[in-house]
Amino acid sequence: MGKPHMLALPFPAQGHVIPLMSFSHQLADHGFKITFVNLDFHHARVMAALRDSPTDCEFVRLVSISDGLPMGEDRNELGKLSRAMFSVMPGNLAELIGKINESDDDKITCIIADESMGWAFDIADKMGIRKAAFWPAAAALNALKSHSPMLIEAGTIDDKGVPTKYEIIKLSPTMPEMNTAHFVWHCVGDLDTQQTIFQCMIQTNQAMKGVEWLLCNSFYELEPSSFDLVPKMLPIGPLLAGNRHGQPVGNFWPEDSTSLSWLDKHPPHSVIYVAFGSFTVFDHRQFHELALGLELSGRPFLWVVRPDLTGGPNRPTDAYPDGFLERVADRGRMVGWSPQQKVLAHTSLACFVTHCGWNSTMEGLTNGVPLLCWPYFADQFLNRSYISDVWKVGLGLNQDSDGIISKEEIKKKLEELLSDGGIRTRASELKEMAKKSVSEGGASSRNFNDFVEWIK
Ligand code: UDP
């Protein structure tokens, strides 16, 4: 008999591709065959980033479809991307599945799609394919999304998602507090983009009604109230399998592997790791302050300076403050993209200066690394509240009256963070909880096994 064949469809962004790729490898380990579908645009980047590494593994096949936008278009404009996806991708996906099912002995029998790609479930229904949804962000964010119709009814937001006033709310008495100003759809791009994203979320809520499985990259002990509020959502995290056996992680940029050999030269708990995920952009003034803050800390640091971190397409070597590169040459290392999951597991790490993307948050927690929070957009403000107010495994940074996080603030908060024994202890406790949840008998492990049984 052939292998059960699933099609995995991530939302087209780095922070969605990596965890679904991880999940796909985990499923492949359990005897599944996976066809992993990226946009043509991202597929080309993933392949280029792999360079000499394996481009495919036996049971996770990487393929792509078009989103209808020209190749040169900016996929970081989420409103434009979402509108394009809704219009052309359903047809392209149906065509791909049709072709595979004509030619492949193992027909696709299940689609596992990012919940934000809820339109794919209509296709699954039309083609008689089973459906499962994947949520790569906090369970609390899903709870917020699913409760958006109630928030409209209560007058907290209008029917376009705009908060009627900025206030602190709780979705249930045991849920963490949320600031309406930080609702995810309200923290992305211009008003037009915000409304497009909100509409997509409302449509997704509808599409989810007929979906039996909703699997979330979190663990129960981390967000019990959110999981209780959306009982259908099951934790299967932390998902960190993408880095095993040299399998492709799904990076959009090539990893600089010298990061690890550089870390090897440093004593335990000495290095500050600084990375802001795939979307964050800094203006030149803030970029300077960050560089000078790291210099002022007097500690060794590994800093991911993405080629487009200051907005332009090229690595911003000329954007560093005068003389900075020479002054920090013996203790600072800048790389374009790091093997982050491995970096965070390295014993030399002291702390992680992070934008609080959900994957970075989970990767930091799973390794017991204290976090210094610097959110940029979308759900990162919610994640920051979790880190600093609920789990208390990190600290936030404050802006000055010009909206800048100053070098002095960076130095001060790094010192506070690194001298806080309570934060380190709680970070270690969460690390153990994370490990338990994916070990035999843990809730995430049980949910994963139940899913595997269902699909078989
Ligand atoms: N990442 C990486 N190398 C880097 C920076 C980030 O491998 O230098 C990975 C990181 O491990 C995480 C993902 O990129 O899995 C970023 O996802 P996250 O949700 O943290 O942020 P986003 O990019 O969505 O803002």
Side-chain angles (χ1 to χ4, degrees):
M1 207 175 95
K3 283 177 176 289
H5 188 172
M6 300 181 76
L7 181 137
L9 181 71
F11 180 84
Q14 181 71 96
H16 293 244
V17 168
I18 289 178
L20 187 56
M21 184 79 81
S22 236
F23 187 39
S24 299
H25 285 300
Q26 208 168 306
L27 288 167
D29 289 348
H30 283 74
F32 292 91
K33 180 167 163 181
I34 314 286
T35 293
F36 193 95
V37 186
N38 270 313
L39 298 187
D40 290 342
F41 178 80
H42 290 140
H43 180 73
R45 294 181 69 183
V46 167
M47 290 311 195
L50 281 167
R51 286 181 184 156
D52 304 328
S53 321
T55 52
D56 219 347
C57 75
E58 200 179 348
F59 300 121
V60 181
R61 184 168 50 168
L62 308 184
V63 303
S64 67
I65 54 177
S66 166
D67 56 5
L69 293 172
M71 272 314 240
E73 198 74 50
D74 182 5
R75 263 77 180 176
N76 283 0
E77 280 195 34
L78 295 176
K80 195 193 286 175
L81 179 63
S82 300
R83 285 187 291 272
M85 283 193 314
F86 270 94
S87 61
V88 303
M89 280 183 78
N92 293 344
L93 185 68
E95 196 186 332
L96 174 75
I97 296 172
K99 274 190 194 148
I100 292 173
N101 282 355
E102 261 171 40
S103 60
D104 204 313
D105 287 343
D106 304 319
K107 312 270 176 253
I108 290 171
T109 53
C110 181
I111 290 186
I112 174 142
D114 195 296
E115 191 181 320
S116 308
M117 305 292 265
W119 51 263
F121 299 130
D122 280 347
I123 296 170
D125 284 339
K126 284 184 193 136
M127 302 183 91
I129 295 173
R130 299 166 99 187
K131 314 170 281 195
F134 179 68
W135 184 253
L141 184 64
N142 194 286
L144 174 65
K145 186 188 76 71
S146 337
H147 281 70
S148 46
M150 281 78 107
L151 294 174
I152 297 176
E153 222 166 274
T156 310
I157 51 176
D158 67 19
D159 61 359
K160 295 190 168 65
V162 180
T164 47
K165 65 175 175 197
Y166 290 152
E167 58 181 327
I168 304 292
I169 62 143
K170 276 183 163 201
L171 292 180
S172 81
T174 53
M175 281 287 287
E177 291 182 336
M178 293 182 183
N179 187 336
T180 57
H182 291 159
F183 281 171
V184 58
W185 55 85
H186 193 55
C187 298
V188 203
D190 58 15
L191 194 60
D192 199 31
T193 304
Q194 292 174 15
Q195 294 185 355
T196 303
I197 300 292
F198 186 70
Q199 279 315 313
C200 291
M201 285 189 156
I202 297 283
Q203 285 171 19
T204 306
N205 283 342
Q206 290 301 324
M208 280 304 292
K209 287 193 174 142
V211 180
E212 212 171 314
W213 289 86
L214 168 56
L215 303 167
C216 174
N217 183 21
S218 179
F219 54 100
Y220 182 79
E221 293 75 7
L222 200 57
E223 308 186 78
S225 315
S226 304
F227 283 110
D228 292 346
L229 206 58
V230 187
K232 181 180 182 175
M233 176 169 48
L234 301 176
I236 50 161
L239 287 169
L240 301 172
N243 243 353
R244 289 176 307 168
H245 325 308
Q247 295 154 336
V249 180
N251 286 316
F252 291 179
W253 290 268
E255 285 178 354
D256 186 327
S257 56
T258 64
S259 315
L260 297 173
S261 47
W262 186 84
L263 288 176
D264 285 343
K265 295 188 191 122
H266 290 85
H269 307 306
S270 65
V271 176
I272 301 166
Y273 175 58
V274 189
F276 299 92
S278 58
F279 273 91
T280 309
V281 171
F282 286 115
D283 66 24
H284 280 267
R285 187 164 160 217
Q286 186 61 81
F287 183 81
H288 266 216
E289 283 305 306
L290 171 54
L292 296 173
L294 293 173
E295 181 182 351
L296 212 55
S297 76
R299 294 174 185 268
F301 60 87
L302 175 66
W303 179 13
V304 177
V305 182
R306 260 188 9 251
D308 55 352
L309 188 65
T310 51
N314 298 312
R315 188 167 174 172
T317 35
D318 51 352
Y320 293 110
D322 274 350
F324 170 79
L325 292 174
E326 295 75 33
R327 292 194 301 277
V328 300
D330 62 339
R331 66 183 170 86
R333 175 99 182 161
M334 276 70 80
V335 295
W337 191 251
S338 80
Q340 180 164 302
Q341 293 184 19
K342 288 182 183 145
V343 166
L344 285 167
H346 201 280
T347 52
S348 68
L349 276 220
C351 67
F352 179 14
V353 181
T354 171
H355 70 309
C356 310
W358 185 250
N359 295 291
S360 296
T361 302
M362 286 294 278
E363 291 159 9
L365 291 182
T366 309
N367 289 292
V369 179
L371 306 168
L372 188 57
C373 302
W374 190 323
Y376 173 68
F377 84 150
D379 58 337
Q380 296 155 13
F381 299 94
L382 173 69
N383 302 339
R384 188 237 353 237
S385 308
Y386 256 153
I387 293 168
S388 55
D389 306 337
V390 179
W391 308 321
K392 299 186 184 347
V393 292
L395 298 175
L397 286 155
N398 295 321
Q399 295 177 339
D400 64 16
S401 52
D402 291 340
I404 291 287
I405 294 176
S406 69
K407 54 183 181 295
E408 292 84 8
E409 168 73 0
I410 295 167
K411 174 180 190 270
K412 183 174 117 207
K413 286 290 166 61
L414 279 170
E415 278 168 10
E416 266 178 48
L417 182 70
L418 293 173
S419 59
D420 192 323
I423 286 184
R424 186 160 281 284
T425 306
R426 281 186 295 278
S428 300
E429 287 165 1
L430 278 187
K431 174 182 171 174
E432 285 314 306
M433 277 185 208
K435 210 187 284 171
K436 266 196 195 147
S437 72
V438 286
S439 306
E440 208 185 320
S444 288
S445 159
R446 282 199 311 271
N447 291 331
F448 178 79
N449 291 336
D450 289 348
F451 178 65
V452 166
E453 283 313 310
W454 173 78
I455 199 69
K456 275 183 174 165

